[in-house]
Amino acid sequence: MLVPHSDLAPNGPKPMEAANAVDTHSVDDLPSARFTWTIENFMRLNTEKLYSQIFLVGGYKWRVLVFPKGKKVEHFSMYLDVADSATLPYGWSRHAQFSLAVIDQRTNKFTVRKDTEHKFGAGVSDWGFTYILPLVELNDPVRGFLVNDTVVLEAVVTILNSHDSRMETGFEPKNKKGKKETGDNGSGNVEADIAGTTCPESTLSDATATAGKVRFLSYWVSSEALLLLEKIHSLHEGTYVKFSMKGQALPTVLLESFAALIASMSSTKVNELNEEALQLAANSTEDFEQVGLDLRWLKQRLEEAKVVKKHSESINTVESCTSALEVARATVDSCTSALEVARAKVRELEDGLARAKLEGEVMSRELPKSLGVNDSVLKDIV
């Protein structure tokens, strides 16, 4: 995590630490050291993050940074940090190969160790693993990570170089074959470990500022664009492999436009997209591919978004039909009730008609047979 100067001291009470040890040696004539950090009263820690004591490797100050309860994840998180990054001169860099480990204190059978290398700089002053060990395994007594409320951590650091060749010569050193970086920085700018991928030795983190721009590859971009471009680099390592253009103005515009596209798509929900927006994103993706960006991963995401969009539309259609059916059922029920009322009225009228007919027949039988409707009252007299 990029730590401001005011945040160099950890918050909360410091736990008891014992047997912090540094074993200094060399590997292929390169300065190296093994640092052991024992943290007692581990379960009683009441702090989000914790720094170790400072240790020296090759004359440079380092420390270990951990998140005992996880960095917003259900995993123990562990990083290597440049201890004096806030006071180092402009353009500094330190290139180190290192491993971070959580020690199984009982049998060493379950010890978790992860290796990586990274060029630390002003842009990224720490690097490591957000997902080094699930918290449930850390607390499992069978695995021996937590013994007598004590955790033992280890960092092995080898200094590869500590200068800024880009500032001195403008030359970007090529990656070493076979070397891959698998870590991430505590700030969350790079999360290679989340996707389970590895990315080449970082050529992005030693960003230098000029006229409001920062260095990315061999071009200058805004700091906002840099965060997204580095994030993409860590998750999709081949994206920029074939991107190479002369000059500065056009590559800067292209990279910042690409970052703006990614930012827009990242903040847009799939159900908010329409066919026009998806087609526009697909066209933009093809345009960026024409200048050398490998965006197969982005095209796959767009296809997945189309599928999800269609599925969502199908669900909406089903829900709409279901609502219409419910309305129709309610209408039928209402009509059925009205029909029952009408039928009852008809039965009532039929009963009245039958009674009237019956009364008429009775009255007809009681009339005098000699006196018809058209007869005069005194028919027989006059």
Side-chain angles (χ1 to χ4, degrees):
M1 174 179 294
L2 296 177
V3 182
H5 184 38
S6 62
D7 198 26
L8 289 179
N11 297 326
K14 292 195 65 175
M16 294 182 61
E17 300 174 7
N20 290 338
V22 180
D23 175 19
T24 304
H25 54 283
S26 62
V27 177
D28 296 331
D29 296 325
L30 297 174
S32 182
R34 181 187 304 273
F35 173 70
T36 302
W37 183 16
T38 301
I39 307 176
E40 298 180 350
N41 301 323
F42 184 81
M43 295 302 293
R44 284 181 278 174
L45 290 175
N46 187 25
T47 181
E48 178 184 359
K49 59 185 176 182
L50 186 67
Y51 292 93
S52 72
Q53 294 179 351
I54 295 174
F55 60 96
L56 298 178
V57 185
Y60 299 102
K61 296 179 179 180
W62 303 89
R63 59 184 176 178
V64 175
L65 165 62
V66 298
F67 290 76
K69 309 301 181 184
K71 187 178 180 294
K72 298 180 180 179
V73 294
E74 293 299 317
H75 283 67
F76 183 71
S77 307
M78 187 174 180
Y79 308 89
L80 179 66
D81 177 65
V82 177
D84 53 349
S85 60
T87 60
L88 291 175
Y90 175 82
W92 68 272
S93 72
R94 293 180 187 173
H95 192 181
Q97 181 177 328
F98 62 94
S99 68
L100 300 174
V102 185
I103 305 299
D104 171 6
Q105 302 174 58
R106 298 190 188 278
T107 64
N108 203 38
K109 175 182 177 181
F110 296 105
T111 292
V112 174
R113 185 181 305 276
K114 292 191 177 183
D115 303 272
T116 185
E117 71 175 65
H118 180 66
K119 181 172 283 188
F120 298 82
V124 182
S125 62
D126 62 67
W127 196 259
F129 304 94
T130 300
Y131 293 78
I132 193 168
L133 179 66
L135 294 176
V136 65
E137 293 185 14
L138 177 67
N139 298 324
D140 186 351
V142 175
R143 296 180 180 270
F145 298 120
L146 185 62
V147 178
N148 296 327
D149 203 16
T150 298
V151 170
V152 178
L153 308 176
E154 185 178 270
V156 179
V157 183
T158 300
I159 305 298
L160 302 181
N161 61 53
S162 294
H163 65 282
D164 194 340
S165 58
R166 279 179 276 184
M167 290 297 294
E168 296 170 4
T169 66
F171 174 72
E172 182 87 25
K174 293 183 178 179
N175 294 340
K176 297 179 180 179
K177 282 189 175 181
K179 294 291 185 180
K180 289 195 175 181
E181 188 172 281
T182 59
D184 60 82
N185 70 314
S187 63
N189 293 341
V190 181
E191 294 287 352
D193 206 35
I194 291 178
T197 61
T198 58
C199 55
E201 173 188 349
S202 177
T203 59
L204 312 178
S205 61
D206 193 16
T208 52
T210 177
K213 300 288 186 178
V214 288
R215 195 83 163 179
F216 177 78
L217 300 178
S218 57
Y219 311 106
W220 298 96
V221 298
S222 67
S223 57
E224 293 82 3
L226 177 68
L227 294 178
L228 277 173
L229 295 172
E230 283 192 335
K231 178 82 171 182
I232 294 166
H233 173 74
S234 68
L235 295 176
H236 309 285
E237 59 184 35
T239 300
Y240 310 105
V241 171
K242 296 182 180 180
F243 182 79
S244 179
M245 302 183 69
K246 295 181 179 180
Q248 285 291 335
L250 182 57
T252 295
V253 171
L254 288 172
L255 289 171
E256 292 192 345
S257 298
F258 176 57
L261 171 66
I262 298 301
S264 175
M265 293 178 62
S266 299
S267 60
T268 303
K269 296 180 180 179
V270 173
N271 59 7
E272 296 174 351
L273 291 171
N274 53 33
E275 289 294 331
E276 182 180 356
L278 284 170
Q279 188 58 50
L280 180 61
N283 294 340
S284 299
T285 301
E286 291 181 359
D287 292 340
F288 286 122
E289 284 186 320
Q290 294 297 318
V291 297
L293 295 179
D294 185 352
L295 300 180
R296 286 174 292 180
W297 60 270
L298 179 54
K299 294 169 76 172
Q300 180 181 350
R301 291 291 181 87
L302 289 174
E303 289 301 320
E304 292 172 352
K306 289 181 181 179
V307 173
V308 172
K309 178 70 174 175
K310 289 182 179 179
H311 178 65
S312 176
E313 290 175 349
S314 298
I315 292 176
N316 291 337
T317 300
V318 170
E319 291 178 348
S320 177
C321 291
T322 301
S323 299
L325 180 60
E326 290 300 323
V327 171
R329 283 175 175 169
T331 301
V332 169
D333 291 341
S334 177
C335 290
T336 301
S337 299
L339 182 60
E340 290 299 325
V341 172
R343 285 174 175 170
K345 188 67 175 177
V346 168
R347 286 194 297 270
E348 181 182 346
L349 291 173
E350 288 176 343
D351 291 343
L353 178 61
R355 286 194 300 271
K357 285 182 177 181
L358 181 61
E359 290 175 357
E361 292 176 355
V362 171
M363 292 180 66
S364 295
R365 288 196 297 267
E366 293 177 352
L367 287 173
K369 293 183 179 180
S370 61
L371 189 63
V373 175
N374 296 322
D375 292 343
S376 63
V377 175
L378 300 176
K379 176 182 177 182
D380 296 334
I381 298 176
V382 180

